[in-house]
C-alpha cells in the first residue's frame, strides 16, 4: 500500500474518534443540523476505518506467523497462516481503494429525466416514447415512483418531449450515465418498402435540486408567463390560464408545465424543472473542467454525444463509450437494464481507481 494512502486511512481513523467525541458532546445533541451532518459523515467514514482495521489485522497476522517460523513444530502452521494472510491483502486493499474513491454528492438524489425527439420526425417521437417506457419500467423494477411533469405528445404517438421525476435512493447514481444521444435503427410501421430508418433522441438526466434555493434563484431574474394549456384534458383545458412558463433571464433557460390542474401546481413543477436544469448546467461545467484534464471513460455526457445505438433488426444494443454490445434488446426495452447500467458504473469505477493509482 502506498504511504500516502496509508496516511489518509490513519487520519480517517482519527477523524472517526473525533466524530464520536463530538456526537457524545451535550452541545451537539441540541443542534440537530450539526448532529445530522456528523451522523452522515460517520456513516461514510466508519466502513473505511473498519476495512482498514481488517487490512492491518492481516498484516499483523503475517508478522505474528513469521515470528513462529523458527520453531520447527510450528513452521508448517506459520507458513499456512502467512500464505492465507498474504492472499487476503490484495482484495482488502482493492476494497479500501474503492471506499476511498470520491463520492458524487448527487448520487443519492432523485432524478429529473428529459427525453426529446431529434432527427427522424415521427419515428423519433415514437422512439422517445419507447425510451420513456424503458426507463419507467426500470424504475418500476426498482420500486421508484415515476411522475410525469410535462409531456408533448406527437400526432402518431410517442413524445416530442417528455419530462418526468424518478424518486428513489440512488436513482441518480444508476441513471446518470444515460445523458446523451440515443440512436435507433429499425423499420418503421409506416414503412412499406421494409427499409431500415435511423432516428435519434436526446436524453438528459439531472439530479433534483434539494430545494429551489440550492441554485440561488433571484425572483428578479425570473419572467413568469401564464397561458392556456393545450391538448387533451377535458373541459378544464383552454378555459383558464393555468399553464406556466418560467424563463431564467441571465441564462435564457426555460421551463414550462401545463399538466397540472392549477396554475399553482404548474408553477411549482416548472420551478423544480428550472432549478434542476440550472443545477445541471453548473454540474456539466464542473465536469467539463475536469474532463479537459482527464476525459472520463464514460464520456462527457454532452447532449449531442451519441452514446448508444438500438438496432432492432439485429436485436442488439451497443453502448459506444465502453464498446459493450448486448443481444437482448427486447429485455432492455422492457426495463431490464441492470447489466447495461452495471457495466457503465464498473467502467467508471475502474477509471477512478486508475486515477487513484496514478496519484503519489
Amino acid at each position: 500500500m502506498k504511504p500516502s494512502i496509508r496516511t489518509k486511512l490513519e487520519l480517517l481513523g482519527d477523524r472517526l474518534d473525533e466524530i464520536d467525541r463530538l456526537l457524545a458532546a451535550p452541545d451537539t445533541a441540541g443542534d440537530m443540523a450539526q448532529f445530522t451532518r456528523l451522523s452522515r459523515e460517520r456513516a461514510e467514514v466508519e466502513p473505511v476505518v473498519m476495512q482498514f482495521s481488517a487490512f492491518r489485522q492481516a498484516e499483523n497476522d503475517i508478522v505474528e506467523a513469521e515470528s513462529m517460523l523458527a520453531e520447527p513444530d510450528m513452521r508448517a502452521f506459520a507458513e499456512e497462516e502467512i500464505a492465507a494472510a498474504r492472499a487476503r491483502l490484495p482484495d482488502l486493499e482493492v476494497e479500501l481503494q474503492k471506499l476511498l474513491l470520491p463520492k458524487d454528492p448527487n448520487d443519492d438524489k432523485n432524478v429529473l429525466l428529459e427525453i426529446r425527439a431529434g432527427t427522424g420526425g415521427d419515428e423519433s417521437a415514437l422512439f422517445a416514447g419507447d425510451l420513456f417506457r424503458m426507463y419507467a419500467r426500470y424504475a418500476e423494477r426498482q420500486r421508484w415512483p415515476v411522475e410525469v411533469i410535462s409531456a408533448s405528445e406527437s400526432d402518431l404517438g410517442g413524445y416530442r418531449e417528455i419530462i418526468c421525476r424518478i424518486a428513489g435512493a440512488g436513482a441518480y447514481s444508476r441513471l446518470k450515465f444515460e445523458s446523451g444521444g440515443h440512436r435507433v435503427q429499425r423499420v418503421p410501421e409506416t414503412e412499406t418498402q421494409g427499409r431500415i430508418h435511423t432516428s435519434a433522441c436526446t436524453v438528459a438526466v439531472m439530479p433534483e435540486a434539494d430545494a429551489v434555493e440550492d441554485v440561488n434563484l433571484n425572483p428578479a431574474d425570473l419572467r413568469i408567463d401564464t397561458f392556456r394549456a393545450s391538448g387533451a384534458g377535458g373541459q378544464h383545458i383552454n378555459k383558464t390560464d393555468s399553464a406556466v412558463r418560467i424563463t431564467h433571464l441571465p441564462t435564457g433557460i426555460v421551463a414550462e408545465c401545463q399538466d397540472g390542474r392549477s396554475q399553482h401546481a404548474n408553477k411549482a413543477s416548472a420551478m423544480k424543472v428550472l432549478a434542476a436544469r440550472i443545477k445541471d448546467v453548473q454540474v456539466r461545467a464542473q465536469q467539463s473542467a475536469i474532463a479537459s484534464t482527464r476525459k472520463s471513460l464514460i464520456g462527457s455526457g454532452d447532449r449531442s454525444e451519441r452514446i448508444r445505438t438500438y438496432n432492432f433488426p439485429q436485436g442488439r444494443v451497443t453502448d459506444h463509450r465502453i464498446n459493450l454490445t448486448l443481444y437482448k434488446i427486447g429485455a432492455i426495452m422492457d426495463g431490464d437494464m441492470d447489466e447495461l447500467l452495471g457495466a457503465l458504473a464498473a467502467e467508471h469505477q475502474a477509471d477512478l481507481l486508475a486515477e487513484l493509482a496514478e496519484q503519489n
Side-chain angles (χ1 to χ4, degrees):
M1 178 183 293
K2 291 184 176 181
S4 58
I5 294 179
R6 185 179 290 272
T7 300
K8 185 183 294 186
L9 290 166
E10 289 170 348
L11 289 173
L12 284 175
D14 295 339
R15 177 57 181 165
L16 183 61
D17 292 338
E18 183 184 8
I19 292 171
D20 286 339
R21 287 195 299 272
L22 290 170
L23 286 172
D27 291 347
T28 303
D31 187 342
M32 185 53 65
Q34 186 183 16
F35 181 83
T36 301
R37 179 179 60 78
L38 288 170
S39 297
R40 187 180 294 118
E41 185 181 355
R42 190 186 193 284
E44 293 175 355
V45 172
E46 186 183 26
V48 186
V49 175
M50 295 294 289
Q51 188 72 13
F52 186 43
S53 177
F55 181 86
R56 286 193 294 190
Q57 183 60 54
E59 289 182 321
N60 291 335
D61 290 345
I62 293 173
V63 173
E64 291 177 6
E66 285 176 339
S67 68
M68 296 187 290
L69 287 174
E71 302 176 31
D73 57 335
M74 298 293 292
R75 186 175 184 84
F77 172 75
E79 288 175 345
E80 288 181 9
E81 287 293 298
I82 291 170
R86 284 179 175 167
R88 292 201 306 274
L89 282 175
D91 290 339
L92 290 169
E93 184 171 0
V94 169
E95 288 304 312
L96 272 172
Q97 290 177 347
K98 289 179 181 178
L99 290 170
L100 284 174
L101 292 177
K103 302 289 191 299
D104 186 333
N106 296 314
D107 271 352
D108 289 332
K109 293 186 177 179
N110 300 330
V111 159
L112 285 182
L113 174 72
E114 295 186 1
I115 304 172
R116 287 191 180 87
T119 56
D122 290 329
E123 171 62 14
S124 177
L126 290 170
F127 181 50
D130 293 338
L131 287 177
F132 170 68
R133 282 186 291 273
M134 177 182 77
Y135 291 122
R137 287 170 181 168
Y138 175 74
E140 183 181 350
R141 290 168 183 255
Q142 311 304 312
R143 298 185 178 179
W144 296 339
V146 178
E147 172 194 358
V148 174
I149 293 176
S150 176
S152 174
E153 298 180 7
S154 69
D155 295 336
L156 297 181
Y159 301 99
R160 287 185 288 270
E161 175 187 275
I162 182 166
I163 304 172
C164 69
R165 176 178 182 265
I166 300 177
Y172 184 73
S173 69
R174 292 298 287 172
L175 295 172
K176 63 183 177 181
F177 300 125
E178 291 301 290
S179 291
H182 294 241
R183 184 177 68 172
V184 63
Q185 295 172 324
R186 63 184 175 187
V187 179
E189 293 181 7
T190 55
E191 170 58 58
T192 58
Q193 304 295 322
R195 292 172 296 189
I196 296 174
H197 287 224
T198 299
S199 56
C201 294
T202 56
V203 173
V205 177
M206 302 171 292
E208 183 180 41
D210 289 333
V212 170
E213 290 79 8
D214 278 1
V215 293
N216 192 25
L217 289 177
N218 185 342
D221 293 336
L222 302 179
R223 187 179 74 231
I224 301 176
D225 301 308
T226 58
F227 56 98
R228 293 187 179 181
S230 60
Q235 295 180 351
H236 176 73
I237 296 299
N238 290 327
K239 289 201 172 182
T240 61
D241 290 343
S242 61
V244 175
R245 180 186 297 110
I246 305 176
T247 304
H248 186 241
L249 299 175
T251 61
I253 295 174
V254 179
E256 67 177 55
C257 187
Q258 60 176 322
D259 285 16
R261 300 293 291 176
S262 71
Q263 187 181 113
H264 178 77
N266 283 328
K267 181 179 177 182
S269 294
M271 285 292 280
K272 273 188 181 181
V273 174
L274 184 70
R277 284 179 175 168
I278 293 172
K279 185 183 180 80
D280 182 55
V281 169
Q282 295 169 348
V283 169
R284 285 194 286 132
Q286 293 170 350
Q287 290 174 341
S288 178
I290 295 170
S292 65
T293 304
R294 192 172 191 276
K295 182 174 169 60
S296 168
L297 284 175
I298 299 302
S300 65
D302 190 293
R303 304 293 176 256
S304 62
E305 179 185 4
R306 189 190 72 190
I307 64 168
R308 192 175 299 146
T309 295
Y310 304 75
N311 187 301
F312 278 80
Q314 297 179 15
R316 66 172 170 85
V317 175
T318 298
D319 196 287
H320 305 290
R321 297 162 295 178
I322 57 175
N323 295 320
L324 173 69
T325 297
L326 299 174
Y327 288 90
K328 47 185 291 187
I329 194 168
I332 290 172
M333 299 307 295
D334 197 42
D336 183 6
M337 301 181 69
D338 281 330
E339 185 176 0
L340 183 59
L341 298 179
L344 287 163
E347 193 81 4
H348 180 59
Q349 186 178 74
D351 187 33
L352 293 176
L353 285 170
E355 190 172 349
L356 181 65
E358 292 174 1
Q359 297 173 1
N360 295 325

